[in-house]
Amino acid sequence: MKPMTTLNEPRFDPHCLNKYATLMAAGNGYLGIRATHEESYSQQNRGMYLAGLYHRAGERDVTELINLPDVVGMEIEIDGAIFSLLSGEILDWRRELSFSSGEVARDVLWRAPNGRRYRIESRRFLSAAQKSLFAMRLSITPLDGAAQVKLTTGIDATQTNSGRQHLDDISLRVYDERFLQGVYRVQGSQIDVSIGCHCAVTHTVNRLSAVNRKLMQHSTALVAQGATLCCEKVCWIAGDPDATPDGLEAQSLAALKAAADMGYEALLTASRQAMVQWWRQSRVELDCDNVQDQQALDFALYHLHAMTPEHDDRASIAAKGLTGEGYKGHVFWDTEVFLLPFYLYTHPETARQLLRYRWHNLPGAQQKARRNGYQGALFPWESARTGEEETPEFAAINIRTGQRQRVASALAEHHLVADIGWAVMRYVDISGDDAFLQEEGGELLYQTACFWISRTTEVEGHLEIHDVIGPDEYTEHVNNNAFTNYMALYNVASALKHCPTALLAADFKANAEDFIARLRLPVPDMRHVLPQDDSFFSKPFIDLSRYQAHAGKQTILLDYSRAEVNEMQILKQADVVMLFYLQPGLFTPETQQASLAWYLPRTIHDSSLSKTIHGIVAARCHDPQTAYRFWREGSQIDLGDDPHSSDDGLHAAATGAIWLGVIEGFAGVSVEQGLCVAPRLPEGWRRLRFPLCYQGIRLTLELTPTHLTMTTSAPLTFRLYGRCVSFSGQGSWAYQDFI
Amino acid sequence: MKPMTTLNEPRFDPHCLNKYATLMAAGNGYLGIRATHEESYSQQNRGMYLAGLYHRAGERDVTELINLPDVVGMEIEIDGAIFSLLSGEILDWRRELSFSSGEVARDVLWRAPNGRRYRIESRRFLSAAQKSLFAMRLSITPLDGAAQVKLTTGIDATQTNSGRQHLDDISLRVYDERFLQGVYRVQGSQIDVSIGCHCAVTHTVNRLSAVNRKLMQHSTALVAQGATLCCEKVCWIAGDPDATPDGLEAQSLAALKAAADMGYEALLTASRQAMVQWWRQSRVELDCDNVQDQQALDFALYHLHAMTPEHDDRASIAAKGLTGEGYKGHVFWDTEVFLLPFYLYTHPETARQLLRYRWHNLPGAQQKARRNGYQGALFPWESARTGEEETPEFAAINIRTGQRQRVASALAEHHLVADIGWAVMRYVDISGDDAFLQEEGGELLYQTACFWISRTTEVEGHLEIHDVIGPDEYTEHVNNNAFTNYMALYNVASALKHCPTALLAADFKANAEDFIARLRLPVPDMRHVLPQDDSFFSKPFIDLSRYQAHAGKQTILLDYSRAEVNEMQILKQADVVMLFYLQPGLFTPETQQASLAWYLPRTIHDSSLSKTIHGIVAARCHDPQTAYRFWREGSQIDLGDDPHSSDDGLHAAATGAIWLGVIEGFAGVSVEQGLCVAPRLPEGWRRLRFPLCYQGIRLTLELTPTHLTMTTSAPLTFRLYGRCVSFSGQGSWAYQDFI
């Protein structure tokens, strides 16, 4: 495998504390830990999250992913000065996240305000081998004389979600004068989280304290000039969002002791080994001029691994993964549409887990449908662990008027239901796991289809879907939204075709056939442009170039109210393009090309989900330059220069989209009645190599500007640029023979 | 009046952030606001407290004084750099609290990391004229070129008590694009606090935001070289701990608007004027060589004003005043014994309010007595607003053993009951307010006396008081503690003599007389030393000098367990000396001298209440050198060099003791069958002048080393060194004529 790239923080910049705390966050699907510095900065937000562990702190509050007590912080005092990179001078600096191991390293040569120099180095990682294990290492070397060092670290339960406390501390203990353990209970529940740590600090005197929700070890040492004080901190963080495991405290303590015995290097080796298999099944390798392209892919895959709770099918992927508190840790359609495809093609068992999350939550979705007068399952727009609708009923109060506004998404952004139906079908088509349709998949398809059948309004003999919001949230409460209607049709048709009969109500078949026959579907106009909804073409056009220049910042809302935006041809992202991405086979190349061209000047790309998807469609429309530009811009949503774009967490969907853009866009992989490949590499990409899993067959694809080379674990038939090819073992084909 | 001193923070020291945040805290009895810097530091704890506003956040928690949303913080960005004194260079520095006005001023000449210099000046005060009003002023002057300044400030409700949240934000509003207002509800109650602010920032563009419990104004300005950007922030913080006032939001907003219209300078003038009368009734003026002596007195009186909720007789003075979260904002015996005397002699109406606090809480005290099998009133050792016992039932878990230990003080430190009885009698004797005895005072005396009568155990025909803790908390669970028994005797005797008959149960007189006749009272031994309790003389003596060298730090507990300390002659503070201070007339000078000398080597002074009291008794024992040494040391508890002694708030009782040491110690003021004066000035004190209020008569006393000069508002008879003097208007006496 080509050597992995790294992510480097080029300099210490107080403005970027939270950006890099997000970008370099550690995660293993079970835990996420923000990459905050050991020393505290008032602007720096620490965070540690356990997948699926949510709580609502007050009646007027929203359920949120709990920010757990901190283990990263260390107060370092050297020769009387509290170590802070704001003071003194940084003579040398390196901070780097290794994507292959997940280890973050920082090496600083610091001249303190007293004029003396100290080398301060730290390492840390969250284990891929043992999900509860987090380990750190800090070393301090005084270069200009002996130094008196004080180090205070432990478990700090003063952490909150922006001032909201979710945990009671029910036990704070120290065992053998070395093992610190706190047990924290989610308020008003019986759910406990145990957090333990062991700090081995060389040649020090230690003191312990438990004051004001902080369980701390205070170490003091005199370090000779040139000698190195080393602190190795091993932490064990364990809990289950559904129930407190029997013997949680004792088992966590035993595990902590065992881990501490192994020591940092051995633990890191074990974690690195556990990652190898994952990278083997996932890595996209690239030879090209722009090294950032490979870095963006490694970054995306690193975080896809970090954010995905593959161990727990009652948890899913939050909109910010496990990297921050944005969107309160809620799950959106992002999971099915932007993140699931990666798993479908590389880790189908994980894709199945993610769909089982929705299946577990069917009861809540059915209740929501009932409450709103529909049948079937209306999945919550925002979802946490229980499947309840977690979107706040009202948006934040308008601070100028004091008015509360109902949140429109939970009321009308119903396409999520069809997106889940689509995801079920994608899973079955790509994995070949037909059995899934007999169980969870069939139920999901059926319940979502029933919702759509009940969601219609009859107008002049047609069935219409009224008052919806498509993915484009700048256009609200429209009728016959193209995205929604086509996706609903596919949902119902799939259910009709694939659901086991035993599941179906007596009248379902007739109702479904009627729905399919009579559903009004927007059709392309004379220019081949597919209308976004019934009213979009009649709205006025305005020049959006100044807003497009600040895509992602919603600057349009500084000049126009939401109501005004709604009445113009202004798109956050283009629904129709999103539809082409999901259902390429439904529309002619002409329609896709004409529509893409027509919608582009009307699209601001204020959604982080927008650009990469537009890029994929552009690639399919044989516009590789536009495709590459969009892909690159999409990959900069987190990696770009904006110091604050990622403050409250990563754009999780955007990482999925980075992978999607390459695989579905540039490699042209799709599954439509079988596996299809239609390479269209961007200029300068000399070689693209990646693994795929298709119907249980393990493939490796290697693309050059002229040739496709494939290895397969079983005989395979696929289409290259639409023409059938059968082979086994390894094959190689020149594109020119197929175009 | 002699010019007031100030308190200066000599340099910016990150270790001292919380020390000076406490020492320079603003307070007006209604609100207390810690003197944190405008810019944030990770070690700096912000705090704003409203007297009497408590809440318990969880079942395992303790009721605590709520840390309110912050209004002090300002994020200042200059030319792209976040302003922090940790970075760049401080070229000039001044930070000063003016005791006369309560204004804190900071002037900094700062060289930013970019090399350019900026003058940054700020002022702030909490109004003495309008208790809800807090005002700040910040100015920034770029000296080496124009500067781009960003200023973010407002109301930050992410504040917690060490991670504990007590408030829900129920309304965040902006009126007229200028007035920010948040309404916060104490969780699970109907009690609201309204916090409003108005920030006028010269020549800026402003933006408003309400995100994550922060309601903020963001101001941006380009400031020319040499020009000054000025920000004037006026805040209105209003609430009532018992009920939400009608129209709280509207009235607070109107008051905020009116205050903002007046502007900083006019508001400060009004506040300063309101302080003048208070200082006139309180100020102690001193001519002496050591300017720190005058400063200690001004410091003490400034904080006595700041901490005392004279507006609310259901609130009392917390052990840390309104300056921090130490002792959770609870009220102890400190109020009656160390703080009340100042009010008795200067603001008797406030003294009465403080006693009414106990009277309001009689029901809780009666319940506690009943629950423990006693009669009358057993006041809670720690008290908040309701009079419930707030001492945690169990001490913090022992982190090594996991054992919880019952807190002994709430179970056995019963002397508080007699201290309250003593305080009632002091109030009546000094104020002459006999009517108080017919009402609240009589009830307090009677209920406390009933408690003592029920608290006895009969042994060989005597009544004994078993299993108590005296003020000396290093000696627990003893029988016939001298302090407790003598104070209980005085309590019962006072009730018998002064309580209105209508209050008394039929058998009270007989029971009280029996109690007085049969109560066992420790008596001095052959050496004239009064035993602290039945067992103290039989315990072994050890050399305490190494612990005395670190008085206040409880270093003895590093070498010995509490159980071991209990079995030796080791005192945190000497009970017997404390008894002499409260009841000087009961004991012969011989007993007092001999006991003081005997107990001193056995006393560590680990209590902040110890030294100044020992100083007063030493003064009365004609040992002015020891008296002055103790007084000075006592005055350094907060003002001394220890950077962390005041981190979680001021030692409120110690401020009362600073005043006490001068008035009762050096001026020798006492009231025993009339006003007594017996000056014994420390060497180097050339003149001591202070006002007194005795039985409604306003007096001014001026002492020199040789003469006493007094003015009186009415004809007065008093005793000077024990000899009666009558005069009116003004009189002057040479000591030598009386000794």
Side-chain angles (χ1 to χ4, degrees), chain A residues 144-165:
Chain A
D144 299 324
Q148 185 72 37
V149 175
K150 287 189 197 174
L151 194 65
T152 300
T153 190
I155 307 162
D156 176 1
T158 66
Q159 282 292 105
T160 63
N161 292 64
S162 298
R164 272 298 180 198
Q165 183 53 257

Side-chain angles (χ1 to χ4, degrees), chain B residues 398-417:
Chain B
N398 179 319
I399 55 175
R400 288 174 179 82
T401 63
Q403 300 274 307
R404 293 166 156 256
Q405 225 180 340
R406 281 188 179 272
V407 175
S409 296
L411 297 176
E413 204 159 345
H414 290 165
H415 65 81
L416 163 70
V417 176

Side-chain angles (χ1 to χ4, degrees), chain B residues 24 41 151 242-243 290 487 491 586 595 703 735:
Chain B
M24 295 187 165
Y41 297 94
L151 195 66
D242 290 326
N290 190 346
M487 290 293 287
N491 193 165
L586 285 185
S595 298
L703 288 67
Y735 306 149

Side-chain angles (χ1 to χ4, degrees), chain A residues 15 80 168 174 177 399-400, chain B residues 15 80 164 174 177 399-400:
Chain A
H15 290 287
D168 293 337
V174 175
E177 292 291 304
I399 55 176
R400 289 173 177 83
Chain B
H15 289 287
R164 272 300 181 197
V174 175
E177 292 291 303
I399 55 175
R400 288 174 179 82

Side-chain angles (χ1 to χ4, degrees), chain A residues 14-15 39-43 57-61 75 77 80-82 84 86-88 113 157-175 177 185 187 207-210 212-213 215 328 396-404 648, chain B residues 14-15 39-43 57-61 75 77 80-82 84 86-88 113 157-175 177 185 187 207-210 212-213 215 328 396-404 648:
Chain A
H15 290 287
E39 69 280 7
S40 290
Y41 297 94
S42 57
Q43 276 84 13
E59 266 180 48
R60 288 158 188 268
D61 276 30
E75 185 170 306
E77 196 179 307
I82 298 166
S84 165
L86 293 172
S87 68
T158 66
Q159 282 292 105
T160 63
N161 292 64
S162 298
R164 272 298 180 198
Q165 183 53 257
H166 298 286
L167 301 172
D168 293 337
D169 49 347
I170 60 166
S171 162
L172 299 178
R173 294 294 303 279
V174 175
Y175 298 95
E177 292 291 304
R185 182 161 294 172
Q187 288 178 352
R207 187 171 64 78
L208 300 159
S209 69
N212 290 340
R213 296 174 68 89
L215 180 59
K328 309 287 184 192
I397 298 171
N398 179 319
I399 55 176
R400 289 173 177 83
T401 62
Q403 300 275 304
R404 289 164 160 260
D648 60 356
Chain B
H15 289 287
E39 69 279 8
S40 290
Y41 297 94
S42 57
Q43 276 83 13
E59 266 182 47
R60 289 157 188 268
D61 276 31
E75 186 170 305
E77 195 179 307
I82 298 166
S84 164
L86 293 172
S87 69
T158 65
Q159 281 291 106
T160 64
N161 292 64
S162 298
R164 272 300 181 197
Q165 183 54 259
H166 298 287
L167 301 172
D168 292 336
D169 48 347
I170 61 166
S171 162
L172 299 178
R173 294 294 303 278
V174 175
Y175 298 94
E177 292 291 303
R185 182 161 293 173
Q187 286 177 353
R207 185 170 67 77
L208 299 160
S209 69
N212 289 341
R213 297 175 67 89
L215 181 59
K328 309 287 184 191
I397 298 171
N398 179 319
I399 55 175
R400 288 174 179 82
T401 63
Q403 300 274 307
R404 293 166 156 256
D648 60 356

Side-chain angles (χ1 to χ4, degrees), chain B residues 407-548:
Chain B
V407 175
S409 296
L411 297 176
E413 204 159 345
H414 290 165
H415 65 81
L416 163 70
V417 176
D419 304 334
I420 292 172
W422 172 87
V424 169
M425 287 313 302
R426 296 308 286 163
Y427 171 70
V428 174
D429 286 348
I430 298 174
S431 72
D433 178 8
D434 288 328
F436 188 68
L437 278 179
Q438 303 305 311
E439 305 280 338
E440 303 94 322
E443 264 192 85
L444 281 167
L445 268 187
Y446 177 61
Q447 293 294 339
T448 49
C450 288
F451 167 76
W452 289 117
I453 292 170
S454 74
R455 182 64 178 77
T456 54
T457 303
E458 188 161 340
V459 177
E460 298 169 352
H462 285 279
L463 297 177
E464 303 197 339
I465 300 178
H466 286 181
D467 192 22
V468 298
I469 306 172
D472 164 36
E473 291 172 335
Y474 283 174
T475 312
E476 296 185 340
H477 304 299
V478 293
N479 297 341
N480 298 315
N481 171 266
F483 183 90
T484 305
N485 286 26
Y486 278 100
M487 290 293 287
L489 184 80
Y490 178 71
N491 193 165
V492 174
S494 300
L496 188 62
K497 190 167 168 193
H498 296 291
C499 281
T501 320
L503 271 182
L504 308 182
D507 58 354
F508 177 77
K509 189 161 177 288
N511 290 341
E513 282 169 349
D514 179 57
F515 177 91
I516 293 166
R518 291 204 294 148
L519 182 67
R520 185 171 318 261
L521 291 171
V523 289
D525 68 0
M526 305 273 289
R527 302 163 299 182
H528 302 287
V529 178
L530 186 66
Q532 175 163 307
D533 56 59
D534 282 358
S535 54
F536 195 79
F537 280 176
S538 65
K539 292 177 176 173
F541 169 82
I542 65 164
D543 178 14
L544 295 177
S545 43
R546 52 187 286 218
Y547 307 110
Q548 288 167 329

Side-chain angles (χ1 to χ4, degrees), chain A residues 412-426:
Chain A
E413 204 158 345
H414 290 165
H415 65 81
L416 164 69
V417 175
D419 304 334
I420 292 172
W422 173 87
V424 169
M425 287 313 302
R426 295 309 285 165

